[in-house]
Amino acid sequence: EVQLVESGGGLVQPGGSLRLSCAASGFTFSSYAMTWVRQAPGKGLEWVSGITAGGGISYADSVKGRFTISRDNAKNTLYLQMNSLKPEDTAVYKCAKSSKNWSPSVVYVDYWGQGTQVTVSS
């Protein structure tokens, strides 16, 4: 059974940092692209960042230069380092598994985590 469990969310002041983790199990983690998405209150799903099985990385323009995605295949864990956080980053952040190794596009997502809440507020 595929499981994706996020952690690391919380309340942080503007300008602060958080590191999200996504512990994966039930599949060969290293063989698939992985994705972070977020959903703010009352808004639709927003793709944040993705990493291919080969380590290719992409970011949404809204987080480029502030967020860093990485993966540790030995630990079956996906990370999202978030720096210089802004109130508009407030959302539930979810990790997702792609059905492909070459694309982290949400089009190819076949499993989702439950999400972790990130709140940026003073």
Side-chain angles (χ1 to χ4, degrees), residues 10-16 18 82 84-91 93 117-122:
L11 173 64
V12 63
Q13 292 187 341
L18 283 174
M82 306 187 297
S84 303
L85 283 161
K86 305 175 181 180
E88 51 264 43
D89 295 318
T90 295
Y93 284 71
Q117 176 70 46
V118 171
T119 302
V120 185
S121 175
S122 54

Side-chain angles (χ1 to χ4, degrees), residues 30 32-34 50-58 71 100-104:
S30 60
Y32 295 93
M34 298 293 295
I51 184 167
T52 68
I57 287 172
S58 50
R71 64 191 301 160
K100 310 294 184 184
N101 62 356
W102 51 270
S103 175

Side-chain angles (χ1 to χ4, degrees), residues 76-94:
N76 291 345
T77 302
L78 179 71
Y79 300 101
L80 187 67
Q81 177 67 45
M82 306 187 297
N83 298 329
S84 303
L85 283 161
K86 305 175 181 180
E88 51 264 43
D89 295 318
T90 295
V92 174
Y93 284 71
K94 297 184 178 184

